[in-house]
Amino acid sequence: MSIWQRKDTRNELPEIETGYRPQGMRNAIGLLLVTMVLLAFGLNMVYSAASGDDPSVTAVRLFRNQLLWATIGSLGGLTAFALGYKFFCRRTLLWLAGCAVLLLWARCSKEVNGAHRWIHLAGFTFQPSELTKIAVAIFVADYCADHVRTFGSFNWKVRYSIWPLGAAVGCMVGLILLGKDLGTSALVGVVAFLTMFLGGLRWYYWLPVPVVITGGVFFIKYFDPMRWSRMTTFLDPEKYKSQGGYQLSNAFYALGDGFWFGRGLGNSRQKAGFLPENHTDFIMAIIGEELGFCGVLAVITLFILWGFFAFRIAIGANSRKAMLLGGALTLGVVLQAIINLGVVSGTFPTKGMPAPFLSYGGSNMVCSLLATGLLVAIAMDSCVPDYNEKIARTLREKLGRR
């Protein structure tokens, strides 16, 4: 039995304590503090990484943009906290439908770097696949919590089985793949499947997974040679430096040049036109060059602390739905950080996957902070159940008296 099934089998668990429970609030405060440190550090490193060519223009502009997106993301997280996670769970199909429309819109937009991942509107760009990660997490958690008694059995009846869940997740992953975003589609699929497993998915549902993976590898190898080249050059980036290994090879130079304590903040040499995407997907290479192994280790420690507090929030939730949603959101951010570190270090194939809270980019920043706001909402609900409804009721009463 999964650890997520040890409580009552109903979705809304009975309240054991009616008073204030400080543990959830302590975890929420810890999560917010770690997030603030990551944000401040990320803003500083974006400015440093972007100051390679023209620090008076590029670095300042990117810093302002990143600060603006961090502000928008913080307001989005605050809004998610004020509304509460139940508000989003009651509208899961609406979020999925909206994300599907945005993904189709992105597919019809102009191609950038061989992919259709972005929506271009009024001078701004947005990557809908980032928002889809949160929408899928909410949908999977809501479905698993509501069907915990039935979807674990192999039943062909649609209303009593896992097939609607699998079909919805498969459609969203397929729409992301239409935009040629293999990394995000794989991440969404893995997070969704792990959340199903935490919700009580039976072992025999795992049997098709190797077949799907094998089919995906076969398709990429024979029908998408560019992606296959990017997936295999990480094995020997020096040998294939002129065929796709250039970026990873220079990332190795940056990490090696940093040694233990780095060359000093702002003193990177690879950012001067040698390392592409140094302020986005490969910002960890600049961190390693300027702050050394100790700086990279500090970042890894911060991500571990973020995952620790987020996981404790999920474990301490007062409903199965909140537990699964907290687990899915935590997996989404932590796995993305692991993939980014693995790509920069050459452990995983080279793939465009930004580091949460650190890399330059508005979509990833806003959605990471939105996930943080939902986690804080879950923690607050475990301390004061239905806190948002009580606050809204109090405000209505005070406004009514006036």
Side-chain angles (χ1 to χ4, degrees), residues 69-116:
W69 290 326
T71 303
I72 295 174
S74 299
L75 293 176
L78 183 61
T79 302
F81 169 77
L83 295 175
Y85 76 93
K86 295 178 183 178
F87 173 85
F88 295 90
C89 289
R90 286 193 292 263
R91 296 163 176 83
T92 54
L93 294 178
L94 179 63
W95 307 134
L96 280 186
C99 288
V101 172
L102 292 176
L103 288 171
L104 289 173
W105 185 358
R107 182 63 182 86
C108 298
S109 300
K110 65 179 180 179
E111 181 178 321
V112 179
N113 295 329
H116 299 268

Side-chain angles (χ1 to χ4, degrees), residues 313-356:
I313 287 174
I315 290 293
N318 63 355
S319 72
R320 187 174 307 283
K321 188 173 297 186
M323 284 193 294
L324 292 174
L325 177 57
L329 295 173
T330 304
L331 285 171
V333 174
V334 172
L335 286 179
Q336 183 173 336
I338 292 174
I339 293 172
N340 179 267
L341 289 167
V343 167
V344 173
S345 62
T347 307
F348 301 146
T350 304
K351 191 73 194 95
M353 186 70 68

Side-chain angles (χ1 to χ4, degrees), residues 30-51:
L31 183 71
L32 289 174
L33 289 176
V34 174
T35 303
M36 291 172 62
V37 173
L38 284 169
L39 283 177
F41 182 73
L43 286 168
N44 187 56
M45 291 310 304
V46 165
Y47 181 86
S48 177
S51 60

Side-chain angles (χ1 to χ4, degrees), residues 249-259 268 270 275 285-286 288-290:
S249 178
N250 282 279
F252 286 169
Y253 293 154
L255 293 171
D257 199 21
F259 203 57
S268 169
Q270 293 298 317
L275 179 61
I286 302 300
E289 185 180 11
E290 294 188 353

Side-chain angles (χ1 to χ4, degrees), residues 191-202:
V191 171
F193 213 78
L194 289 177
T195 306
M196 296 177 203
F197 176 73
L198 295 175
L201 189 70
R202 298 298 187 264

Side-chain angles (χ1 to χ4, degrees), residues 157-180:
K157 294 182 179 180
V158 173
R159 62 176 299 186
Y160 297 117
S161 69
I162 198 175
W163 305 116
L165 176 61
V169 174
C171 287
M172 301 309 294
V173 171
L175 288 174
I176 297 175
L177 279 174
L178 281 178
K180 297 184 179 181

Side-chain angles (χ1 to χ4, degrees), residues 106-359:
R107 182 63 182 86
C108 298
S109 300
K110 65 179 180 179
E111 181 178 321
V112 179
N113 295 329
H116 299 268
R117 305 176 186 174
W118 297 272
I119 293 175
H120 306 270
L121 184 65
F124 294 93
T125 59
F126 179 74
Q127 192 170 355
S129 58
E130 294 288 339
L131 188 61
T132 304
K133 292 189 295 186
I134 298 180
V136 170
I138 296 173
F139 175 76
V140 173
D142 180 75
Y143 190 96
C144 290
D146 290 342
H147 297 79
V148 66
R149 293 182 177 180
T150 57
F151 89 117
S153 59
F154 198 86
N155 195 325
W156 288 100
K157 294 182 179 180
V158 173
R159 62 176 299 186
Y160 297 117
S161 69
I162 198 175
W163 305 116
L165 176 61
V169 174
C171 287
M172 301 309 294
V173 171
L175 288 174
I176 297 175
L177 279 174
L178 281 178
K180 297 184 179 181
D181 191 350
L182 180 61
T184 303
S185 60
L187 179 62
V188 170
V190 169
V191 171
F193 213 78
L194 289 177
T195 306
M196 296 177 203
F197 176 73
L198 295 175
L201 189 70
R202 298 298 187 264
W203 64 269
Y204 39 77
Y205 283 106
W206 292 82
L207 296 178
V209 174
V211 179
V212 173
I213 294 176
T214 303
V217 171
F218 178 84
F219 178 84
I220 294 172
K221 181 176 181 179
Y222 293 100
F223 296 97
D224 197 347
M226 185 187 71
R227 302 292 174 189
W228 181 255
S229 175
R230 293 184 62 181
M231 290 178 60
T232 55
T233 51
F234 83 102
L235 298 173
D236 193 351
E238 283 294 328
K239 180 179 179 181
Y240 301 99
K241 191 172 182 178
S242 61
Q243 303 176 10
Y246 176 82
Q247 193 172 23
L248 183 57
S249 178
N250 282 279
F252 286 169
Y253 293 154
L255 293 171
D257 199 21
F259 203 57
W260 284 101
F261 300 103
R263 296 177 51 83
L265 189 62
N267 295 326
S268 169
R269 292 187 293 191
Q270 293 298 317
K271 68 183 180 182
F274 297 101
L275 179 61
E277 309 295 338
N278 56 66
H279 58 286
T280 55
D281 301 338
F282 277 77
I283 196 170
M284 286 301 302
I286 302 300
I287 294 174
E289 185 180 11
E290 294 188 353
L291 302 179
F293 174 78
C294 292
V296 175
L297 185 62
V299 173
I300 294 174
T301 303
L302 287 173
F303 280 124
I304 291 175
L305 287 174
W306 194 96
F308 171 77
F309 288 120
F311 187 75
R312 284 178 62 87
I313 287 174
I315 290 293
N318 63 355
S319 72
R320 187 174 307 283
K321 188 173 297 186
M323 284 193 294
L324 292 174
L325 177 57
L329 295 173
T330 304
L331 285 171
V333 174
V334 172
L335 286 179
Q336 183 173 336
I338 292 174
I339 293 172
N340 179 267
L341 289 167
V343 167
V344 173
S345 62
T347 307
F348 301 146
T350 304
K351 191 73 194 95
M353 186 70 68
F357 309 109
L358 299 179
S359 295

Side-chain angles (χ1 to χ4, degrees), residues 337-387:
I338 292 174
I339 293 172
N340 179 267
L341 289 167
V343 167
V344 173
S345 62
T347 307
F348 301 146
T350 304
K351 191 73 194 95
M353 186 70 68
F357 309 109
L358 299 179
S359 295
Y360 177 81
S363 304
N364 176 61
M365 175 67 75
V366 171
C367 293
S368 296
L369 290 172
L370 181 60
T372 304
L374 286 172
L375 284 166
V376 175
I378 292 172
M380 186 65 182
D381 193 72
S382 69
C383 299
V384 184
D386 299 323
Y387 69 93

